Each structure stands twice: as structure tokens, then as C-alpha cells.
Amino acid sequence: MYVLGTAGHVDHGKSTLVRAITGIDPDRLQEEKAREMTIDLGFAWLTLPSGKEVSIVDVPGHERFIKNMLAGVGGLDAALLVIAADEGPMPQTEEHLDILHLLGVERGIVVLTKTDMVDDEWRALVEEEIRDRLKGTTLQDAPIVPVSARTGHNLPALLAEIDRLLEQTQPRADRGAPRLAIDRAFTISGFGTVVTGTLIDGSLQVGQEVELVPGGLKSRIRGLQSHKHKVDSIPPGNRVAVNLVGLEVDQVRRGMVLALPGKLQPTKRIDVHLHLLADAPAPVEQNDALDFFSGSTETPAQVTLLDTEKLEPGGTSWVQLRLRDEVALAKGDRYIVRRSSPSLTIGGGQVIDVHPRRHKRFHAETLSALETLQKGTPEELILQALGMTAQDAKSVIEKSSLGKEEASEAIQSLLATGKVLLLTGDSQAVLRNPQSTIIVAEDAFQDTVRRVHNLLAIYHKQHPLRRGMSKEEVRSRMSATTPARAFPHLMQRAVELGAIAEEATTYRTPQHAPSYTPEQTAQVEALRTSYVKSGYSPPSPAELGVDPDVVASLVESGELVKLEDGIYYTRPVLDEMRRRILDTIDEHGEINVALMRDLFGTTRKYAIPLLEYFDAQKITRRVGDVRVRW
């Protein structure tokens, strides 16, 4: 699934376009419908001709609602820059384009609307003006698609162009650290509080424990919906609605971030790389007050210029921002800064450090460290290449673009600090034999263990009488994120740490043990008593009225052995029969069905399955109509 966002001047037809291609009215508020103007974020979705599912975030175009627009353009895969053919680029077209550029939105389509209101000559002039304005921005090569949402002209071509654009867009990577910048919170009767946003950096699943940052509010996911369809889990790169347990809607606000507990720490000081727009009306000076926007977060900030006395329009600088309010950010997040008076976007860039110390200005070591951090230290580059899957060191070194020696040292440093775990080989083999050395980031390992634990917990809930899930089924369910080669090594480490329990061919949570209801316990006791009395000709569990799940549990535990449908024996009885059969063979040289029947006072119904069972166990071997020792 992909997320598109609209952008553009007020009254240029963004919402009308969305309604025309999706059939959904993105204007949710009565005031919006009355004023025929988008005020807050709107949402819609569609399935493209190729089958790709697309979420659309529709933003307001009026300058008074630019803060609402900024809350909706984080995490976009591409943008639809909407420009009316009868007016051409207008002030908010310019500001929205600047915002998309500063946020690094590299894919987009210019949708030229209202083409039914102009002639071809005028349209060509407007397209020329648009192409000139796109120069030097991330959308400079964006196609221009003329349409009319009113008449439907060229809308199929627009959908085809969106399809083509997304074909070149990589799905969001699952880094195991989900973040949902909350842009809306509301209550649904009978369900409670629901929050919405665009999910990045990881997956969410029903039952997961989560935390809202800042604030530290803990909750659990009761339900997930995407495009009004319930789902059990959802990967990154999706718009999602999350139903939260135990929170009131007035405890939640736009700007909070939903994450896994303890994974995201709020901050009030950040280091950033700031690019000031060339048409900014004035320089940025030391201690200037700006408004900071990232994701759905907004807060006032003060500027500490670290490498210049004054940042001129068109320039860049290392900056420490002191934020009035706590925010939840991660390294690499994009941001926007604006002047509050006059209200205007002036710049933006990338967050470099979310928990820095207070810096001295013009400090050479600080500036050098920021440059390294922006590029990435060798250790950071290794972690980035490693991602959230276990890999052999050879592949990781190649992806990091580091030299073998430097990469090897970085991996050994990460191993020493516990940020990377060694699953096979030893630390010295990283350079000597990297192809056979499997490593995994500690965060990825913990995430895998968490997901396996959740998988097993759900399985235990569904099958309380079974001892565990088969290893092969667990491996299969985890195959999307855990390579088959690394899986047994990951699980071995989890078992060694006591996070997962292993029994023969199954895995289980350490706390799980089959538990019977009082009625099932009575059935087990009745079966045991009956089997003791019946000796070598036990009745079938069905005849005794034993629950089939209870029988399966007793077989799995080894207390019962199934020979064929309806014929079960206890392990001690089978062991006794095996000894007596071998003694008989030793005495007579062989045993047949008749001798077997007489030996145990049973019938052919039991004698034949018993002999076939011992054949399969390689205790006996059939020769004609008799059995001999294997």
C-alpha cells in the first residue's frame, strides 16, 4: 500500500479531484461543506488499475490552515501538486512546493485541473510557467497531467500515471520500530478511543502493547482498520486507524506518536541541518524564534547557530533547536521551520541528533561530529545495512559501502557493545570468513523474539491443550522477515536466553503448559482408569466420550500413542508388550498374528495394528506372514 498527499492553492480543486478519482468526499467537517473549503486533513483511498492500494491525504490549501497541511504531509510516498489551469501557480502553490521540497518528497505528479475552462494555448502557457517553477526542486521532473474533475477528462490517464510512479517506489522498510504520528483522535461508541496516522518504520498488530509519546501513556491495541477494513496486523507505509484500550480521547492530541513501549524517548533539544529557502524574506540569526513542524508535531523553537553568525537566504547551517514542548522524533526525520509573523515557511531539513548535549558555538569537534553523524558513523552505516533481518557479514559489508577492514572493525565494535549479536562463527571470523558469519542487530533480535512470543501466545490461546507450535510452522510464519538460514540460530539464542521454550519439534512460551477444564480433567482420569482395567484391549477414547482435543493433547505429551483411528495405548503398556514380543521371538524365532493374539489375550483388531506399529518402529520386521527381530 502507498500514501499520496495532495498539495496546492485554495480553490484549485484538490478535494474535487480526490472525490472524482476515489468516490469519497474527503471533507469531513460540516463547516467545510458549508464553506466549500477544506479546513483540516481529509482522507480517501482507491485501488489503481494495477491492483495497488493507495491512501490519499487531502490537505487544506488556504494559508490560514497551513499548520493543518503540515500535519498531513509526513510519510508520503508521493505528492499530487494540484494547480488550476485558469489561474496557474499561486502563493500557496509556491509554499506547498517549497514544503514538499524541504521534506524530500522526490516523487510526484503535477495535476493541472479545470482544463475544461481554458483553451489549449492558455494551457500550454500555464504548463510552461509550471515547468519553470519546478526547476531546482525535488519535483522538477514530475509529469504534468491535464484533467477535468468536473467532466472526467483524462482521469484514467492520471490513474495510469500514478500507477507508473508507484511502480518505481520501494515499499517502506520494516525496521521493527513502528511510529504512528497521530493526526486525528476520536471516539467510536462501543469501541472507545481511535487514533489515525501514517505508519512508518515498523508493523503494528492487534494485542500489541503501545505507548504514546510524549506523555508516556500506555495502552494496548484493541483493533486495527485500514480503508475501513479490519486487519490483525499492518506493515509500514499504510494509513491506519488504531483502536486503543483504556485511554480517553481527551488524553490524546495531534502531535503525539504511537510507538512500542520504551522505544521512543521525547526530547526538547535537537541538532539539525537547516536549509534556508532562497526567497526567505530575512536571514536567521542567533536566538531567533521559529515554529518547528515534523510529522504531526508543532512547537515553538529557539535557534542556536553553531557554525555562522547569521544564516542568509539560500544557505545551510548546523543548528541546535531548543523546543518549548517535548516532541517524539528519530534521527533522519524531515522537518519544516516557519516564521510566525508574517506567517511563512522559510526552511527545513533533516534531524541529525534527537538527544544532543548543549553545544558551544563554532566548536570544531562538534561540527566535525555532526558531519560524521549526518553521513553516518561506520557503526551506523553497518546497522543501516543490517536493518531488521539477520544476515551474513559479507552481505552487510557490501551494502555498507565501507572497506572490509573498516567494516570489520565497526562490526566488532557493535558486537562488543551488544548492539549486534553473533549467531554463528566468532568475532575474528567477521573478516576472515564473513560469508559464514551470521549477525543480527540487537533491536532486530528482540523484535523477532517479541513477534515469535506473540505468535506463540495467540497459538496457545487458540489451542490451550497443545504443548506448542511446530518449529516448521513458526519458521514458515516468520519467513517474511527472518531468512531460513538464520532462523534456527535466532531461535537457539532465544531458547538459551529463556525467552522461548523448546520441546522436541515444537516451540512454546516459557509460561505455557496445557491446562484442562474440570470436565476435561475428569475425562482424562476416566480414560486412565479404563485403560488400566482393559489391559491390552483398550476402548477407543470416543467410546469413553473423551474430547478429541484432550486426546490430541495426551498424544502430543506422549502419554498416549496412536496406532490407528480409535486404537491408542499408553506408553508403559507398549513398552511392556515390546519386551514380551522380543522374548517370544527369541524363544520361538518368530511371532505371528495368532501367537500375538494369544500372548496378550486380544483380537486381530488390536494384534495387526500392534505388529504394524512395531514394524514401523523397527522393533520387528515382517517376513511373509511372521515377524522377526529387526
Side-chain angles (χ1 to χ4, degrees):
M1 195 180 297
Y2 301 88
V3 181
L4 297 181
T6 63
H9 195 76
V10 64
D11 285 337
H12 277 207
K14 295 185 295 299
S15 300
T16 302
L17 175 69
V18 171
R19 191 160 49 244
I21 63 175
T22 67
I24 299 170
D25 185 355
D27 287 338
R28 300 176 287 108
L29 307 177
Q30 289 301 319
E31 184 181 356
E32 291 176 316
K33 298 182 187 299
R35 296 172 63 177
E36 295 185 347
M37 181 175 70
T38 300
I39 295 171
D40 203 353
L41 300 175
F43 308 98
W45 55 89
L46 79 158
T47 301
L48 293 170
S50 67
K52 296 185 188 73
E53 289 191 53
V54 177
S55 297
I56 298 180
V57 180
D58 185 43
V59 305
H62 198 286
E63 62 179 344
R64 284 189 296 160
F65 306 117
I66 191 71
K67 293 181 179 181
N68 291 342
M69 180 269 185
L70 286 166
V73 290
L76 297 182
D77 293 303
L80 300 177
L81 181 61
V82 178
I83 302 175
D86 60 335
E87 290 189 329
M90 296 290 283
Q92 288 312 113
T93 309
E94 303 280 340
E95 184 167 18
H96 284 203
L97 179 58
D98 285 338
I99 288 168
L100 294 175
H101 175 71
L102 292 167
L103 292 178
V105 179
E106 297 179 346
R107 293 181 175 83
I109 298 170
V110 177
V111 186
L112 191 61
T113 57
K114 304 186 181 182
T115 55
D116 56 308
M117 300 176 64
V118 301
D119 58 30
D120 291 344
E121 184 179 358
W122 178 267
R123 192 188 77 191
L125 289 172
V126 171
E127 288 189 18
E128 185 177 345
E129 182 184 4
I130 292 170
R131 187 59 66 193
D132 186 63
R133 178 60 186 86
L134 294 178
K135 288 178 181 177
T137 73
T138 53
L139 298 185
Q140 65 179 4
D141 297 322
I144 300 174
V145 181
V147 304
S148 170
R150 186 178 67 84
T151 67
H153 171 68
N154 225 27
L155 292 182
L158 173 60
L159 295 178
E161 191 61 42
I162 294 173
D163 239 337
R164 185 196 64 77
L165 184 71
L166 296 181
E167 192 67 39
Q168 307 166 12
T169 304
Q170 291 293 323
R172 296 268 175 171
D174 190 336
R175 304 184 185 282
R179 291 189 292 146
L180 186 83
I182 295 171
D183 51 39
R184 195 158 61 112
F186 52 92
T187 298
I188 295 180
S189 179
F191 291 91
T193 298
V194 176
V195 299
T196 69
T198 301
L199 180 62
I200 62 172
D201 287 352
S203 302
L204 292 176
Q205 58 187 2
V206 173
Q208 207 166 28
E209 300 295 325
V210 292
E211 179 180 15
L212 300 189
V213 185
L217 296 173
K218 301 290 178 62
S219 183
R220 179 173 52 81
I221 298 176
R222 173 183 286 153
L224 295 169
Q225 276 198 13
S226 183
H227 299 176
K228 293 193 174 181
H229 292 293
K230 290 183 178 180
V231 293
D232 292 328
S233 63
I234 192 161
N238 287 279
R239 290 288 307 175
V240 61
V242 185
N243 185 198
L244 297 173
V245 174
L247 292 181
E248 299 298 327
V249 71
D250 58 7
Q251 295 178 280
V252 185
R253 58 176 173 80
R254 176 179 285 180
M256 285 181 164
V257 176
L258 183 148
L260 299 183
K263 289 291 186 180
L264 202 58
Q265 301 301 320
T267 183
K268 294 182 73 172
R269 180 188 294 129
I270 56 175
D271 288 343
V272 302
H273 198 244
L274 172 61
H275 171 67
L276 193 62
L277 291 171
D279 57 359
V284 170
E285 300 188 35
Q286 175 66 8
N287 289 324
D288 269 0
L290 302 175
D291 290 332
F292 173 88
F293 299 83
S294 184
S296 60
T297 293
E298 164 196 350
T299 186
Q302 277 194 302
V303 171
T304 297
L305 295 171
L306 297 176
D307 59 356
T308 186
E309 291 289 356
K310 182 187 297 186
L311 178 59
E312 299 288 348
T316 61
S317 177
W318 293 112
V319 173
Q320 186 164 94
L321 293 177
R322 291 160 281 152
L323 310 175
R324 186 192 69 184
D325 305 309
E326 285 190 331
V327 298
L329 298 167
K331 181 180 182 294
D333 284 354
R334 308 292 298 197
Y335 72 93
I336 297 292
V337 288
R338 306 184 81 243
R339 296 279 190 191
S340 57
S341 181
S343 179
L344 186 66
T345 298
I346 62 167
Q350 196 168 35
V351 176
I352 304 301
D353 192 350
V354 294
H355 296 290
R357 288 186 261 181
R358 186 173 180 177
H359 300 312
K360 293 180 181 179
R361 299 181 67 201
F362 306 104
H363 188 252
E365 289 184 11
T366 296
L367 299 177
S368 176
L370 286 170
E371 288 176 3
T372 300
L373 197 57
Q374 184 185 38
K375 175 193 171 186
T377 64
E379 286 78 9
E380 286 178 321
L381 293 174
I382 288 294
L383 287 172
Q384 184 179 22
L386 185 53
M388 294 303 292
T389 60
Q391 301 181 52
D392 63 79
K394 181 175 183 291
S395 299
V396 175
I397 291 170
E398 290 173 350
K399 292 175 185 175
S400 73
S401 300
L402 296 170
K404 290 183 179 179
E405 295 281 351
E406 186 180 24
S408 176
E409 290 177 6
I411 291 173
Q412 290 182 28
S413 172
L414 291 166
L415 289 170
T417 58
K419 292 181 180 178
V420 166
L421 305 178
L422 191 67
L423 298 180
T424 64
D426 57 70
S427 60
Q428 299 306 311
V430 170
L431 186 59
R432 187 178 66 250
N433 191 10
Q435 193 164 0
S436 65
T437 305
I438 300 178
I439 56 177
V440 63
E442 199 272 342
D443 282 350
F445 171 76
Q446 294 296 342
D447 181 66
T448 300
V449 171
R450 175 186 59 77
R451 287 188 290 116
V452 170
H453 194 281
N454 289 342
L455 177 67
L456 294 174
I458 293 171
Y459 183 87
H460 295 329
K461 187 175 181 180
Q462 294 171 341
H463 307 286
L465 300 185
R466 297 183 187 175
R467 302 189 70 80
M469 180 183 282
S470 76
K471 291 180 177 179
E472 181 54 30
E473 185 176 355
V474 176
R475 186 204 63 74
S476 175
R477 298 283 289 276
M478 298 296 295
S479 61
T481 55
T482 306
R485 180 186 176 197
F487 179 77
H489 304 293
L490 278 165
M491 295 305 296
Q492 182 181 349
R493 178 65 66 89
V495 170
E496 289 171 354
L497 294 174
I500 302 294
E502 178 184 32
E503 287 191 24
T505 60
T506 64
Y507 292 119
R508 61 174 175 82
T509 62
Q511 304 81 14
H512 175 72
S515 57
Y516 299 118
T517 64
E519 181 183 356
Q520 290 170 333
T521 300
Q523 291 176 8
V524 171
E525 292 304 319
L527 183 143
R528 288 171 177 162
T529 301
S530 177
Y531 271 42
V532 169
K533 291 180 179 179
S534 58
Y536 307 114
S537 302
S540 71
E543 291 172 0
L544 298 175
V546 181
D547 185 335
D549 285 341
V550 173
V551 177
S553 171
L554 294 172
V555 171
E556 187 180 44
S557 70
E559 182 172 348
L560 284 185
V561 177
K562 181 180 179 180
L563 271 58
E564 63 179 40
D565 286 343
I567 298 181
Y568 297 77
Y569 281 85
T570 63
R571 176 64 62 185
V573 169
L574 278 177
D575 288 342
E576 179 196 346
M577 296 174 86
R578 178 181 59 82
R579 289 192 300 271
R580 293 180 63 183
I581 288 169
L582 291 178
D583 288 344
T584 300
I585 292 174
D586 290 341
E587 180 179 352
H588 298 281
E590 61 185 35
I591 191 170
N592 58 24
V593 174
L595 190 54
M596 177 84 166
R597 183 188 57 205
D598 296 337
L599 182 64
F600 296 108
T602 186
T603 64
R604 291 177 61 87
K605 171 185 173 182
Y606 295 96
I608 292 176
L610 280 164
L611 286 172
E612 290 175 346
Y613 169 80
F614 288 121
D615 289 346
Q617 297 296 309
K618 296 187 177 181
I619 305 299
T620 59
R621 180 167 53 88
R622 183 171 180 172
V623 179
D625 292 331
V626 301
R627 264 73 175 183
V628 297
R629 270 186 178 269
W630 183 264

